[in-house]
Amino acid sequence: KAGVTQTPRYLIKTRGQQVTLSCSPISGHRSVSWYQQTPGQGLQFLFEYFSETQRNKGNFPGRFSGRQFSNSRSEMNVSTLELGDSALYLCASSLYGGSPTEAFFGQGTRLTVV
Amino acid sequence: DAKTTQPPSMDCAEGRAANLPCNHSTISGNEYVYWYRQIHSQGPQYIIHGLKNNETNEMASLIITEDRKSSTLILPHATLRDTAVYYCIVRPDNYGQNFVFGPGTRLSVLP
């Protein structure tokens, strides 16, 4: 079956702009999580959605937001982009989101803010 | 979630077993040990997880000490494609996929 699909794969934006990233989970999966990966901070959890509700949130400013649709697809939005937002943004899906189940990650969207 | 400690890097000869250690001395009774790996510029890949018994799947074996304060991921016959950063994560048995990734171990499999 198809894996987790993230679009676009690469993106270049200017400081101050906003950006929306998309994630399509594996069919049947209801939990979608988002992570930011930078060389300095590593992989950091942003938030998780389950059945269209945000269930967990990491320690990121309010400029980072997300949502999940009824078909489990998810989007994350970053407003007022800063240079430090340049990162690989990863989406992960799992069946129910309950432990212990594995999460399947997409290939990520590489965002560059100039 | 309990903190984990892993060596920053390790080398392994191709065809030999790779043994990656992880210390999680503050693990509590309801916390599972998960292992993921990330090959350069790709998303992390699930490898294996366990609670207290040793586990084995087609990719690897997970050995957890009796006191659960440490574990070892074993790749029985390492190949060049196993070169990656390996992350050991402990997290409680509750709902949510908010994994806390540390710096991991960079495993280099050498020909």
Side-chain angles (χ1 to χ4, degrees):
Chain A
K1 56 184 176 183
V4 178
T5 304
Q6 291 189 244
T7 56
R9 288 293 310 279
Y10 302 92
L11 205 50
I12 299 176
K13 289 287 189 178
T14 304
R15 259 186 311 175
Q17 287 186 313
Q18 67 92 27
V19 67
T20 299
L21 312 181
S22 179
C23 172
S24 293
I26 291 171
S27 177
H29 285 195
R30 293 168 60 189
S31 167
V32 174
S33 301
W34 289 89
Y35 293 79
Q36 180 197 65
Q37 185 170 30
T38 60
Q41 300 297 319
L43 264 162
Q44 292 186 286
F45 171 76
L46 279 156
F47 30 65
E48 181 205 4
Y49 286 87
F50 180 77
S51 293
E52 302 177 66
T53 301
Q54 187 180 88
R55 185 159 63 178
N56 288 291
K57 189 176 189 307
N59 189 26
F60 278 81
R63 298 185 298 107
F64 293 81
S65 62
R67 59 178 175 169
Q68 186 180 33
F69 302 95
S70 58
N71 61 358
S72 293
R73 191 178 71 85
S74 177
E75 290 181 345
M76 69 162 281
N77 184 279
V78 187
S79 62
T80 321
L81 283 166
E82 301 176 0
L83 296 179
D85 297 333
S86 295
L88 180 67
Y89 289 88
L90 291 157
C91 162
S93 80
S94 62
L95 196 56
Y96 296 115
S99 182
T101 57
E102 62 266 35
F104 296 86
F105 283 79
Q107 295 298 299
T109 294
R110 185 164 296 281
L111 171 66
T112 302
V113 182
V114 298
Chain B
D1 296 356
K3 182 176 169 55
T4 62
T5 304
Q6 299 177 252
S9 64
M10 292 181 64
D11 292 339
C12 176
E14 188 178 19
R16 304 297 294 268
N19 297 279
L20 292 95
C22 180
N23 182 286
H24 32 79
S25 57
T26 60
I27 193 170
S28 56
N30 68 342
E31 289 186 310
Y32 284 73
V33 180
Y34 285 79
W35 283 84
Y36 280 78
R37 72 179 182 184
Q38 187 173 25
I39 297 170
H40 183 64
S41 296
Q42 296 183 21
Q45 178 189 22
Y46 166 81
I47 302 173
I48 200 167
H49 72 271
L51 183 62
K52 52 185 177 182
N53 297 321
N54 297 338
E55 302 287 345
T56 297
N57 63 21
E58 64 279 3
M59 287 184 67
S61 294
L62 173 60
I63 309 298
I64 302 174
T65 58
E66 194 170 336
D67 63 8
R68 304 210 321 124
K69 292 182 185 299
S70 66
S71 60
T72 301
L73 178 74
I74 301 172
L75 307 178
H77 305 287
T79 71
L80 299 179
R81 287 176 294 181
D82 292 322
T83 293
V85 177
Y86 287 77
Y87 299 99
C88 169
I89 303 162
V90 297
R91 64 184 308 277
D93 179 16
N94 59 10
Y95 286 100
Q97 289 292 352
N98 50 332
F99 288 100
V100 178
F101 287 82
T105 295
R106 183 172 297 277
L107 175 68
S108 297
V109 180
L110 308 175

